[in-house]
Amino acid sequence: MTEGTMLAPHPAPPALSPDRVSGVLRILVLATFVVLLNETIMVNAIPRLMREFEVTAAAAGWLSTAFMLTMAVVIPVTGWFLQRVTTRTAFGLAMALFLAGTALAAAAPAFPVLLVARVIQAGGTAVMMPLLMTTLMTLVPPQDRGRVMGNITLVISVAPALGPAASGVLLQLGTWRLLFLAVLPIAGAMAMVGHRRLVNIGEPQAGPIDWLSVPLAAAGFGALVYGLSGLGAGDEAPAVVPPEVTTAVGAVLVGLFTWRQLALQRSSTPLLDLRALTFRHFSVALALMCLSFMALMGAFILLPIYLQEVCRLSSLQTGLLLIPGGLTMGLLGPQVGKLYDRLGAPRLVVPGAALTALCLGLFAFTGAETSPWLVLALHVVLSVGMAFVFTPVFTSGLSVLPPHLYPHGSAILGSLQQVAAAAGTALVISVMSGRAATAASGGAEPTEALATGIRWGFGVGAVLGGLAVLVALLVRTPPVPEPLAAPDVKDPDVQDGDGTTTNKTAPTPT
């Protein structure tokens, strides 16, 4: 395959009415919002869980890290999976896993059970993300994708941002189990509505799966993130295997996974088709997304710790303070999408990345005496910068791919997004813990030592933001390809003459 500037024609959107297309996307967006909200909803609950289950901060932190890591492990399989099952089957499996994990978490009698429940939840979330992106790319014509992707930003960026805020409010109302009990009926309603109203896009294609690739991906990404979480922690929690060794082993296994996929591309069907990376627009967007998510998730983890442990705010106050930033990112998403359709990607992502790096740098100078109102203002401005990055990045990156690479491109993007988020979280927490321990050993008070560690963590985020600015300078708006024939759409609501409901293929527009 040649470099990505040589674009393959894209299929025309299926023969569905605009209202029906909007309905399908609305179902997937709302369902994905609900499942993604749980990615960061445990952040504010960590102190309470430490007391109730008598576990360390590092162990409790794995409730968030394991969620992201599970998604990173499962999402590579979805590139293969989404091509071999119907849209409705994929949606049903995703929601069933999420509902099962949520119910188990709400009733968890011990910490290991809660951790397993989070992994099951993440398995369902991992299917929803690529399903949403693949369906969008199939149904929406290229000239409208910026506007529609702006609405998708509400899911990809705002749901994780609102997780800590929602958890702060729910924890003020009662037990941590409310974090799951409140989500359960909403997710159940979305599952029922989706089962009734979703349509099947295209035809499933039978094909083998390379089972060697699955453990390579799981072991590689798992060891990589686990090793990163131990780096910089000092002697606080000595591991049997040094974290440097674990990180190196993980990197080698990820390299073997990559080599395996490249070999399968020549002779068979890869689990994850890496030919999407030969498209320059996609690769640049992927690099910018990874750096941005590392910085963003690191900041989202540090902010609640800083506000509660250094500024002495309650969990409710912390949640309320973080809400404006999340809402700002959501409200700006559609507007940024419209600007993308008019102005293209570079004029949006470069100032957005620069604004993000600046805010993270300013956070590195905060302390116990910093006004919460200043923190609120910085968080809102940080959210503005991220809104100007994410919508153009996702739109320009996926739009350049040919149709048969949509599932794989979505899987690569979603998988590395979670790896970057998990690595960013592990990196800033490790740096924070290490620098706080050093400051404490030097005679600093506990609160001041923690504040020192948090400043170092934000400093790492600022460095990542600076690298994102350099990558943003390489972003270009891909040209719009010519459409071809529409894919098949199976509509469960089309009825036969006898009144029975069957799946019929929607006509292809000429």
Side-chain angles (χ1 to χ4, degrees):
M1 181 176 293
T2 57
E3 207 273 336
T5 55
M6 299 180 62
L7 299 177
H10 286 207
L16 291 179
S17 68
D19 289 342
R20 196 61 191 273
V21 170
S22 298
V24 170
L25 292 178
R26 190 178 299 115
I27 291 169
L28 293 178
V29 166
L30 291 175
T32 308
F33 182 89
V34 171
V35 299
L36 268 185
L37 184 70
N38 280 263
E39 184 172 351
T40 55
I41 203 170
M42 299 301 296
V43 170
N44 280 333
I46 286 178
R48 190 175 298 187
L49 292 169
M50 290 169 58
R51 293 191 296 269
E52 179 161 335
F53 290 117
E54 297 181 351
V55 295
T56 64
W62 270 96
L63 291 172
S64 295
T65 302
F67 191 99
M68 294 183 288
L69 179 57
T70 301
M71 290 185 65
V73 170
V74 174
I75 286 178
V77 183
T78 63
W80 170 88
F81 177 73
L82 291 179
Q83 290 183 319
R84 286 156 180 80
V85 300
T86 65
T87 307
R88 301 179 75 210
T89 298
F91 178 84
L93 175 64
M95 294 307 295
L97 284 173
F98 182 79
L99 287 168
T102 303
L104 181 61
F111 183 79
V113 177
L114 180 59
L115 189 59
V116 170
R118 291 285 286 168
V119 170
I120 297 173
Q121 271 190 322
T125 307
V127 177
M128 282 299 305
M129 276 290 295
L131 176 63
L132 170 62
M133 300 299 290
T134 301
T135 304
L136 181 149
M137 296 301 297
T138 305
L139 290 179
V140 180
Q143 64 271 18
D144 294 330
R145 286 175 185 162
R147 174 180 56 82
V148 178
M149 190 67 77
N151 296 319
I152 304 302
T153 302
L154 180 69
V155 172
I156 298 173
S157 304
V158 179
L162 287 180
S167 66
V169 174
L170 290 172
L171 289 171
Q172 191 68 23
L173 297 176
T175 173
W176 59 268
R177 298 182 190 274
L178 283 176
L179 300 180
F180 304 103
L181 292 174
V183 169
L184 198 58
I186 300 174
M190 290 307 308
M192 290 188 291
V193 172
H195 178 73
R196 289 176 53 192
R197 297 193 56 84
L198 274 183
V199 296
N200 291 324
I201 310 299
E203 290 285 352
Q205 302 172 0
I209 184 172
D210 180 53
W211 291 107
L212 178 60
S213 298
V214 176
L216 279 177
F221 292 130
L224 188 61
V225 175
Y226 183 80
L228 284 172
S229 68
L231 292 175
D235 298 327
E236 191 174 291
V240 177
V241 179
E244 295 84 0
V245 175
T246 308
T247 303
V249 170
V252 170
L253 291 175
V254 170
L256 289 174
F257 171 77
T258 302
W259 172 82
R260 178 68 177 172
Q261 305 317 296
L262 294 175
L264 289 173
Q265 286 173 186
R266 296 190 294 268
S267 60
S268 182
T269 303
L271 180 69
L272 193 62
D273 198 328
L274 300 181
R275 281 172 287 198
L277 297 175
T278 63
F279 291 81
R280 179 183 178 278
H281 294 296
F282 179 78
S283 298
V284 171
L286 185 66
L288 179 56
M289 182 275 299
C290 288
L291 288 170
S292 298
F293 255 88
M294 287 182 70
L296 178 67
M297 293 306 298
F300 284 163
I301 292 296
L302 289 176
L303 272 174
I305 299 174
Y306 165 71
L307 292 171
Q308 293 184 47
E309 302 299 327
V310 178
C311 296
R312 302 301 180 184
L313 300 184
S314 67
S315 59
L316 176 61
Q317 291 172 322
T318 299
L320 293 175
L321 188 143
L322 295 177
I323 285 177
L327 292 178
T328 298
M329 194 183 300
L331 293 174
L332 278 178
Q335 305 307 317
V336 173
K338 294 176 182 177
L339 288 175
Y340 171 85
D341 289 333
R342 288 169 43 201
L343 304 177
R347 296 181 183 179
L348 301 177
V349 297
V350 174
L355 193 61
T356 298
L358 175 63
C359 289
L360 291 171
L362 293 175
F363 269 123
F365 293 97
T366 56
E369 70 286 351
T370 302
S371 169
W373 294 106
L374 178 59
V375 176
L376 171 63
L378 284 175
H379 184 237
V380 169
V381 177
L382 174 67
S383 300
V384 172
M386 285 296 182
F388 275 83
V389 170
F390 286 132
T391 296
V393 163
F394 283 105
T395 307
S396 64
L398 288 173
S399 292
V400 75
L401 299 179
H404 70 279
L405 287 179
Y406 283 162
H408 294 279
S410 299
I412 293 171
L413 199 64
S415 181
L416 291 187
Q417 170 189 327
Q418 298 307 316
V419 171
T425 300
L427 181 60
V428 298
I429 291 295
S430 297
V431 170
M432 181 199 73
S433 301
R435 299 308 302 182
T438 301
S441 64
E445 294 293 327
T447 300
E448 181 55 36
L450 179 60
T452 299
I454 290 173
R455 285 195 292 269
W456 274 87
F458 279 122
V460 171
V463 172
L464 294 172
L467 294 175
V469 173
L470 297 178
V471 177
L473 295 172
L474 303 176
V475 172
R476 298 291 181 269
T477 304
V480 177
E482 293 296 327
L484 285 179
D488 291 336
V489 179
K490 299 296 187 178
D491 192 336
D493 294 338
V494 176
Q495 291 189 337
D496 290 326
D498 59 0
T500 59
T501 300
T502 59
N503 284 341
K504 292 186 181 292
T505 305
T508 301
T510 56

